[in-house]
C-alpha cells in the first residue's frame, strides 16, 4: 500500500499565501497568491485531479500589489480576499480587499490553459476593507460556516469584525478588539474555531496564542482548545513540513506545536476527524520536498486527506495523509 | 691364733640364732628385711650363713703373704672383741626388759580381778533400777491419759474462745481498716463455723461474722469503687475481695475499668502536652521528654496493671483475651497520641533526638511484650517506628529538595548581581563579558559541593536509625527494606530524580519569557547534571550502599538509569540554553529589522550598533560556555571527524578571537558543497560531541535564520539593501570563529543579502570594497 508520490507545482514568483477554495467541495482546489515587487502579482488557481495525479492551473492577475495573505469565501466560490502591499511614493502600505473572480475563468481557461497563462484575466474588485484608524492588515479570515457575510481582519494589534453588505460590495466594521501589552504587538495569523457555533477565533502573535469570543470581543482565554484536532500540519522555516498526529493536545500551549526555532509564523492548523482509538502523539511524517521556508500549508476543503504546502521559492506541493494512518483513523 | 679364730668364727652363727628366737618371741617378722640382704652363698664370706671356716682359712693361707695374714689376724681379733662386748651389752638390756615385763603382767593380773567385782555390783544395781522404773510407769499410766485429754480440751477451748472473740476482733480490724488481717482471721474460722453451724451458738457467731464480713466487703467494694487509691492498694483490695468469694468476672471488669480510668488520665496528661504546643511551639516539650513521660507514666502503669491482673486472676484463664483487648485498646490510643506527637516533629535539624525517643518508645514496649506474650502491641509499636522512619525519610527528601531549590535561588542571585555591575560599566567588550561569568565554575563547584554535603549530612542523620545500639535497628525492616527502599530509593534516588526533573522543568516553563530563567543558570545546571552523570550519581549511590550495607532484596533503580536521566536532563538544558540565548539574540535582530523603515533609509555609513551588540553577546556567551564545558567532555565524546575540525579551531582560537584586525581564515572548507546539499539548516544539536562549538553553532544558526525571516517580511529601498550588506559583512567577519563550519555562516548571510535584494525596490548593491572599509572602520 504505497502512498502516492507528492505532486509538485512551481510558480514563477515567490509566494507565501495559500488557501483552499473553501466553498468548493467537489474538486480539490487551492488558491496561491504570489509576492513580487517588480511584476504584476498573480493568483494561481490550482486544480488537483486526484485520480490522475495531475494539476491544472489558472492564473488571475492581482495588480494591486504583492499578496501576503489570501482567503476564500466559504459561501461563494468566486469571492476571495487578499491582504496585499502597495508601494507608492516609496512608501509601503498594507491593504485588504474583497475580490470576485471573473465569472468565465473556469470555462474559458479550460479550453486554452496555456493561453490563459499568458493573458490572465483580472480580478474584479468588490470592496476595500479600509479603516483609516487600523492599517496594515495581516490577514483576513472568513467566518467558516457562515453565508460569507462576516469576516475578521487582523491589523497590527487590532482585530476587526466586518459585515459585508449588498452582495459584498460594502463592508462595515461592526466591532473591534485590541490586544494590549508591552512593546509592539502584532497579529500574525489566526483561525476560526469550528466549534461553538463559530463565535470564537484564535489569533497568534509571536509565540502566544489567544482565544477571542466574538460576541463580546474580549479575550476569554490565552489558550485555544484543540481537543478535537488530530492531524496537525506545521510548516516551518527549515523548509520542512511536518504532519503530526496529535491525539491529545487539548490545553497545550500553542508554542508546543511550533517547530523548535520558530517564532510563530506561517503556521496553519487544520482540524481533522476525531480519533476513535487512542493513538500516540507523534510525528506522522516529515515532508522535505521544499527547498526554502514553507510559509503556508492548507488542507483541501474537498478531500480531508489531502493538503497543499507552499514554500517561499514558489513551490507548491500537494501531499496526502499516509494511507495506513488514514485507515487507522477511519476504522 | 688358730684357736682364737675358730670361736670367733662360730660366734656370729650362734648369735644369729639367738636373735631369731627373740624375734620369734616378740612376733617380729624377719621377712621385711630378708629380701634386702640376699644371703651370700659364698662360703668365704665371713658374714654369710654358709661360711666355711676351713675353706676360708685355706684360702687365706693360700693367697696371702705372712704379713697380710698377720694383719688379717689382728683385724679379726679386734672385730671379735668388739662383737663380744656388743653381745654382752645386748644380753644385759634384754634381761632388764624381760624383768620389767614380767612385773607389769603380774600387776595387771591383780587389777583385773578387782574390776570384775565392781562390774558384778553394777549389773545388780541396774536390775534394781529397771524394776523400779517399770513399777513407776505402771502407776503413772492413768494420769498421763488424763493430761492429754485436758490439753486437748484446752486447745478446743482456746479455739472456741477465738471463735467467740471473732466478731469483736473483726470489728476491731474493721475499725483499724486492717482488712487483710480481718480477712485472714475470718478465713481461718470460716470452715469451723460452717461445720458447727448446726449448733445455735456457733450459728450466732457465724451470722455475726457474716454480717461483719459483709460490711467489710461493702467497705472494700466502696474503696475499690472510689478508685482513688494507688494501683497497689487496688490490687490488694481485689485480692481480698477474691478471697471473700466475690465473683471474679465482676471484679475483673471493675478492676480493668479502674485501671482504664487511671491510664486514661495518664493519656489525657499526654494529650494535654500535645495540645498547647500548637499555639506556642517555644514552650513545647521535646519529643524525647514526651516519650519519656509516656513511658514512665502510661507504659509502666500498663505493665503494673498487666502484672497484677495476671497475679490476681491467674486461675481465670478465660480472662486472658479480656486483658488483651484491654491492653490493645489503650495501647492503640497511646499509639495514636505518640503518632500525633511524632507527626509534629517536622524540623529536620536533629534526628538523634527523634531516634532516641523512638528507641526508648520501642524499648519500653518490649516490657509489655515480655509480660503479655502474643500481644499485638509491640508489633504495632514497631510499625509506628517504621512509619515514623519512613515519614522522616520523606521529610528529609523534601528538605533536600527545598535545599536544592534554595541553593538554586542563591545561584540565581549570585548570577544576577555581577550582571548588574556589567550593565553599569556599559559595553566594554569581551572583558566585561568575562567579569560576569568568572564565578561560574566557582558557583558550580560550590553548588555541587553544598548539595553533596547536604546529602551526606542527611545520610548521616538517617543512618542513626540503623545504629547498633538502637533496639529496633535489628528488625528485618530496618536491616533490609528501610535501607534499600527507604533510604536508597525514596531518599537518594528520588532526590537525584528530582534534580533531573526540576532541571527539565526549567526547559519547559520558559516559553516566551525566557528571561525567567537566566541562561547562565541553565548552562550551570546542564553542567551539574553532566557531572552527576559522569561521577556524582555513582559516588552517592556507592556511599549510600556502603553506609547502609544495602542488600537488594527488591529491585532497585540501577545507576545507569539515573545516569541516563541525568544525561538527558543535561542535554535538554543545554538545548534549552541554546534556544534561549538564540531567542535573545534573535529578538534583538528582529526588533532591529522590524522597527526600521527600510525603504526610506539613508546611505549606510556605519555598521548598525545592533550588529556590534550581537557580536559582543555572542562572544560573551562563548566565554560563558567555555568556562563550564572544557576539555574533558570533548575528549571523551568527540568523534574523529569533528575532532580534526575542532583542533584547528581550538589552536587558532586564542590568537584569533580578539584580534583587532580583520583576517578571515577560510580553513577546512573542503565539504562546502556537501554541507549545503545536506540542508544545513536542520537543527541537530549533538551538544556533547563538541559542547562549546555546538552550542555556539546552534545559537548563531537560530539568530541568523531569524534575521533571514525578518528580512523577507520587509520591503527595502536601495540604501536599505546596502545597510543589510554592510551588516552581514560585519557579522561574517566575527561570527565564523564560533561555529564548527564557517560555511554555514556564509551560506546564511548570503541568503540574507539575497533575500534583501529580492525584496528591494531598487536593487543597487554596494561595492565590496566600500563595505569592507565601512566594516573595518566600525
Amino acid at each position: 500500500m504505497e502512498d502516492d508520490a507528492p505532486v509538485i507545482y512551481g510558480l514563477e514568483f515567490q509566494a507565501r499565501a495559500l488557501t483552499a477554495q473553501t466553498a468548493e467541495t467537489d474538486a480539490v482546489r487551492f488558491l496561491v497568491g504570489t509576492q513580487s515587487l517588480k511584476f504584476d502579482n498573480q493568483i494561481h488557481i490550482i486544480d488537483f485531479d486526484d485520480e490522475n495525479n495531475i494539476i491544472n492551473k489558472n492564473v488571475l492577475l492581482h495588480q494591486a500589489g504583492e499578496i501576503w495573505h489570501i482567503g476564500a469565501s466559504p459561501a461563494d466560490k468566486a469571492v476571495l480576499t487578499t491582504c496585499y502591499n502597495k508601494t507608492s511614493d516609496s512608501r509601503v502600505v498594507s491593504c485588504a480587499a474583497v475580490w470576485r473572480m471573473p465569472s468565465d475563468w473556469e470555462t474559458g481557461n479550460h479550453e486554452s490553459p496555456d493561453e490563459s497563462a499568458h493573458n490572465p484575466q483580472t480580478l474584479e474588485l468588490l470592496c476595500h476593507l479600509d479603516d483609516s484608524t487600523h492599517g496594515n492588515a495581516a490577514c483576513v479570515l472568513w467566518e467558516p460556516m457562515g453565508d460569507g457575510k462576516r469576516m475578521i481582519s487582523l491589523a497590527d494589534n487590532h482585530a476587526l469584525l466586518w459585515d459585508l453588505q449588498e452582495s459584498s460590495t460594502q463592508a462595515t466594521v461592526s466591532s473591534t478588539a485590541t490586544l494590549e501589552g508591552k512593546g509592539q504587538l502584532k497579529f500574525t495569523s489566526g483561525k476560526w474555531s469550528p466549534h461553538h457555533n463559530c463565535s470564537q477565533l484564535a489569533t497568534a502573535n509571536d509565540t502566544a496564542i489567544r482565544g477571542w469570543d466574538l460576541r463580546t470581543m474580549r479575550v476569554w482565554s490565552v489558550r485555544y482548545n484543540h481537543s478535537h484536532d488530530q492531524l496537525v500540519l506545521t510548516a516551518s522555516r527549515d523548509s520542512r513540513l511536518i504532519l503530526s498526529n496529535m491525539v491529545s493536545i487539548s490545553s497545550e500551549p500553542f508554542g508546543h506545536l511550533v517547530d523548535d526555532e520558530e517564532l510563530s509564523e506561517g503556521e496553519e492548523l487544520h482540524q481533522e476527524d476525531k480519533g476513535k482509538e487512542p493513538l500516540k502523539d507523534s510525528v506522522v511524517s516529515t515532508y522535505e520536498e521544499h527547498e526554502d521556508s514553507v510559509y503556508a500549508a492548507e488542507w483541501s476543503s474537498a478531500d480531508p486527506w489531502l493538503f497543499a504546502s507552499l514554500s517561499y521559492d514558489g513551490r507548491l506541493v500537494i501531499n496526502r495523509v499516509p494511507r495506513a494512518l488514514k485507515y487507522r483513523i477511519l476504522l | 691364733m688358730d684357736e682364737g679364730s675358730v670361736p670367733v668364727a662360730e660366734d656370729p652363727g650362734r648369735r644369729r640364732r639367738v636373735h631369731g628366737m627373740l624375734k620369734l618371741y616378740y612376733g617380729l617378722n624377719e621377712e621385711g628385711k630378708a629380701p634386702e640382704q640376699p644371703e651370700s652363698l659364698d662360703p668365704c664370706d665371713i658374714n654369710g650363713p654358709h661360711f666355711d671356716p676351713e675353706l676360708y682359712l685355706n684360702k687365706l693361707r693360700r693367697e696371702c703373704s705372712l704379713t697380710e695374714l698377720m694383719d688379717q689376724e689382728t683385724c679379726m681379733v679386734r672385730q671379735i672383741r668388739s662383737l663380744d662386748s656388743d653381745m654382752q651389752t645386748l644380753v644385759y638390756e634384754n634381761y632388764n626388759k624381760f624383768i620389767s615385763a614380767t612385773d607389769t603382767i603380774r600387776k595387771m593380773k591383780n587389777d583385773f580381778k578387782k574390776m570384775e567385782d565392781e562390774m558384778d555390783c553394777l549389773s545388780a544395781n541396774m536390775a534394781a533400777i529397771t524394776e523400779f522404773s517399770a513399777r513407776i510407769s505402771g502407776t503413772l499410766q492413768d494420769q498421763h491419759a488424763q493430761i492429754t485429754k485436758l490439753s486437748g480440751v484446752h486447745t478446743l477451748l482456746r479455739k472456741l474462745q477465738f471463735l467467740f472473740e471473732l466478731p469483736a476482733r473483726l470489728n476491731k480490724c474493721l475499725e483499724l481498716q486492717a482488712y487483710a488481717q480481718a480477712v485472714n482471721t475470718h478465713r481461718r474460722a470460716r470452715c469451723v463455723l460452717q461445720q458447727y453451724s448446726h449448733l445455735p451458738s456457733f450459728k450466732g457467731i457465724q451470722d455475726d461474722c457474716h454480717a461483719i464480713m459483709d460490711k467489710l466487703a461493702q467497705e472494700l467494694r466502696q474503696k475499690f469503687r472510689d478508685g482513688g487509691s494507688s494501683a497497689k492498694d487496688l490490687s490488694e483490695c481485689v485480692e481480698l475481695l477474691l478471697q471473700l468469694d466475690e465473683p471474679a468476672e465482676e471484679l475483673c471488669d471493675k478492676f480493668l475499668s479502674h485501671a482504664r480510668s487511671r491510664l486514661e488520665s495518664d493519656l489525657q496528661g499526654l494529650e494535654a502536652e500535645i495540645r498547647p504546643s500548637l499555639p506556642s511551639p517555644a514552650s513545647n516539650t521535646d519529643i524525647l521528654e514526651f516519650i519519656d513521660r509516656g513511658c514512665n507514666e502510661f507504659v509502666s502503669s500498663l505493665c503494673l496493671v498487666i502484672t497484677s491482673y495476671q497475679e490476681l486472676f491467674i486461675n481465670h484463664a478465660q480472662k486472658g483475651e479480656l486483658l488483651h483487648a484491654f491492653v490493645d485498646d489503650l495501647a492503640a490510643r497511646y499509639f495514636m497520641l505518640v503518632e500525633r506527637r511524632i507527626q509534629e516533629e517536622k524540623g529536620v535539624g536533629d534526628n538523634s533526638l527523634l531516634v532516641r525517643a523512638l528507641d526508648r518508645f520501642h524499648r519500653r514496649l518490649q516490657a509489655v511484650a515480655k509480660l503479655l506474650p502474643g500481644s499485638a502491641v509491640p508489633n504495632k509499636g514497631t510499625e509506628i517506628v517504621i512509619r515514623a522512619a519512613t515519614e522522616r525519610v520523606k521529610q528529609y527528601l523534601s528538605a533536600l529538595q527545598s535545599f536544592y531549590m534554595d541553593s538554586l535561588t542563591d545561584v540565581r542571585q549570585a548570577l544576577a548581581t555581577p550582571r548588574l555591575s556589567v550593565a553599569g560599566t556599559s559595553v566594554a567588550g569581551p572583558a566585561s563579558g568575562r567579569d560576569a561569568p568568572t564565578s561560574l565554575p566557582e558557583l558550580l563547584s560550590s553548588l555541587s559541593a553544598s548539595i553533596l554535603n547536604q546529602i551526606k549530612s542527611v545520610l548521616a542523620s538517617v543512618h542513626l536509625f540503623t545504629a547498633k545500639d538502637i533496639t529496633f535497628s535489628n528488625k528485618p525492616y530496618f536491616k533490609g527494606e528501610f535501607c534499600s527502599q527507604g533510604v536508597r530509593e525514596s531518599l537518594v534516588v528520588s532526590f537525584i530524580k528530582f534534580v533531573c526533573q526540576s532541571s527539565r522543568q526549567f526547559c519547559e516553563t520558559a516559553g516566551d519569557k525566557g528571561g525567567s530563567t537566566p541562561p547562565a543558570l541553565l548552562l550551570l545546571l546542564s553542567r551539574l547534571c553532566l557531572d552527576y552523570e559522569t561521577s556524582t550519581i555513582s559516588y552517592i549511590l556507592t556511599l549510600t550502599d556502603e553506609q547502609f550495607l544495602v542488600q537488594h532484596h527488591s529491585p532497585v533503580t540501577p545507576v545507569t538509569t539515573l545516569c541516563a536521566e541525568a544525561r538527558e536532563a543535561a542535554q535538554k538544558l543545554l538545548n534549552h540554553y541554546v534556544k534561549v540565548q538564540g531567542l535573545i539574540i534573535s529578538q534583538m535582530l528582529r526588533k532591529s529589522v522590524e522597527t526600521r523603515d527600510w525603504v526610506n533609509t539613508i546611505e549606510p555609513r556605519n555598521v548598525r550598533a545592533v550588529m556590534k551588540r550581537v557580536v559582543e553577546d555572542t562572544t560573551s556567551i562563548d566565554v560563558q560556555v567555555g568556562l563550564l564545558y572544557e576539555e574533558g567532555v570533548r575528549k571523551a565524546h568527540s568523534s574523529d571527524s569533528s575532532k580534526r575540525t575542532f583542533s584547528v579551531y581550538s589552536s587558532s582560537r586564542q590568537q584569533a578571537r580578539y584580534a583587532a584586525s580583520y583576517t578571515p581564515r577560510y580553513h577546512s572548507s573542503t565539504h562546502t558543497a556537501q554541507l549545503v546539499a545536506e540542508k544545513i539548516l536542520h537543527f541537530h544539536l549533538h551538544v556533547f560531541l563538541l559542547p562549546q562549538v555546538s552550542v555556539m553553532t546552534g545559537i548563531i544558526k537560530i539568530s541568523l535564520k531569524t534575521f533571514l525571516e525578518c528580512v523577507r517580511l520587509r520591503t527595502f529601498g536601495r540604501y536599505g539593501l546596502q545597510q543589510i550588506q554592510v551588516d552581514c559583512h560585519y557579522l561574517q567577519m566575527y561570527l565564523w570563529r564560533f561555529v564548527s563550519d564557517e560555511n554555514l555562516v556564509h551560506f546564511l548571510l548570503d541568503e540574507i543579502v539575497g533575500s534583501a535584494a529580492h525584496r528591494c525596490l531598487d536593487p543597487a548593491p554596494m561595492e565590496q570594497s566600500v563595505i569592507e572599509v565601512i566594516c573595518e572602520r566600525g
Side-chain angles (χ1 to χ4, degrees), chain B residues 436-449:
Chain B
T438 32
S439 54
L440 266 182
E442 291 162 27
L443 276 176
L444 175 68
S445 64
S446 76
L447 175 67
S448 72

Side-chain angles (χ1 to χ4, degrees), chain B residues 317-583:
Chain B
Q318 78 279 10
K319 296 291 175 291
E321 56 259 34
L322 211 60
L323 180 64
H324 272 290
F326 170 78
V327 171
D328 284 352
D329 182 29
L330 281 169
R333 292 186 47 193
Y334 172 59
F335 289 156
M336 212 174 66
L337 288 176
V338 169
E339 266 197 294
R340 257 173 65 192
R341 183 65 186 84
I342 290 174
Q343 273 161 17
E344 274 174 36
E345 212 54 25
K346 291 257 158 54
V348 286
D350 187 10
N351 195 38
S352 67
L353 208 61
L354 177 73
V355 173
R356 263 162 57 208
L358 286 175
D359 178 39
R360 198 155 301 178
F361 170 72
H362 189 259
R363 205 185 289 261
R364 290 300 282 264
L365 286 180
Q366 302 310 307
V368 179
K370 265 181 211 143
L371 285 173
L372 204 60
S375 164
V377 171
N379 284 341
K380 280 194 183 136
T382 314
E383 275 169 29
I384 286 184
V385 172
I386 288 173
R387 268 205 293 280
T390 342
E391 192 57 36
R392 201 65 172 167
V393 166
K394 268 189 209 143
Q395 284 170 4
Y396 273 119
L397 176 62
S398 67
L400 265 183
Q401 288 174 350
S402 66
F403 175 81
Y404 175 70
M405 292 322 276
D406 287 350
S407 0
L408 283 196
T409 317
D410 291 349
V411 169
R412 216 183 256 250
Q413 273 166 1
L415 286 175
T417 337
R419 184 149 294 200
L420 285 177
S421 74
V422 169
T425 55
S426 82
V427 274
S432 74
R434 248 183 195 178
D435 266 348
T438 32
S439 54
L440 266 182
E442 291 162 27
L443 276 176
L444 175 68
S445 64
S446 76
L447 175 67
S448 72
S450 70
I451 290 172
L452 202 59
N453 277 339
Q454 194 69 11
I455 290 176
K456 276 182 186 165
S457 74
V458 163
L459 279 182
S461 298
V462 175
H463 196 240
L464 288 175
F465 278 111
T466 59
K468 284 233 166 49
D469 56 339
I470 302 294
T471 47
F472 52 75
S473 67
N474 58 3
K475 293 267 170 203
Y477 171 78
F478 280 96
K479 276 190 170 165
E481 210 194 341
F482 178 73
C483 292
S484 68
Q485 290 304 314
V487 175
R488 191 183 191 274
E489 289 297 298
S490 41
L491 187 64
V492 179
V493 172
S494 296
F495 177 66
I496 293 171
K497 279 188 174 161
F498 170 78
V499 170
C500 298
Q501 181 89 31
S502 71
S503 302
R504 278 198 299 261
Q505 270 167 10
F506 278 116
C507 304
E508 280 157 17
T509 51
D512 59 337
K513 296 170 191 71
S516 63
T517 314
L521 181 64
L522 292 174
L523 193 65
L524 193 101
L525 283 179
S526 155
R527 180 69 217 197
L528 183 74
C529 286
L530 193 66
D531 287 347
Y532 266 64
E533 189 244 332
T534 47
S535 59
T536 317
I537 287 178
S538 62
Y539 171 70
I540 294 174
L541 284 183
T542 316
L543 189 77
T544 313
D545 287 356
E546 274 170 8
Q547 262 192 23
F548 288 88
L549 303 169
V550 178
Q551 292 151 0
H552 303 302
H553 300 300
S554 43
V556 292
T557 319
V559 178
T560 46
T561 317
L562 289 177
C563 284
E565 202 166 323
R567 189 183 168 81
E568 189 200 336
Q571 175 81 54
K572 226 170 182 170
L573 279 166
L574 207 52
N575 283 353
H576 191 64
Y577 174 76
V578 169
K579 212 186 287 177
V580 168
Q581 292 286 33
L583 277 182

Side-chain angles (χ1 to χ4, degrees), chain B residues 139 164 209 217 226 236 238 305 358 415 466 485 726 737 773:
Chain B
T139 35
F164 285 125
C209 284
D226 288 348
E236 200 179 280
V238 172
V305 168
L358 286 175
L415 286 175
T466 59
Q485 290 304 314
V726 171
R737 304 189 176 97
V773 168

Side-chain angles (χ1 to χ4, degrees), chain B residues 48 107 147 214 288 301 397 466 475 482 547 555 593 746 749:
Chain B
K107 206 173 155 195
I147 285 168
D214 280 350
L288 191 57
S301 338
L397 176 62
T466 59
K475 293 267 170 203
F482 178 73
Q547 262 192 23
V593 175
H746 296 164
L749 290 172

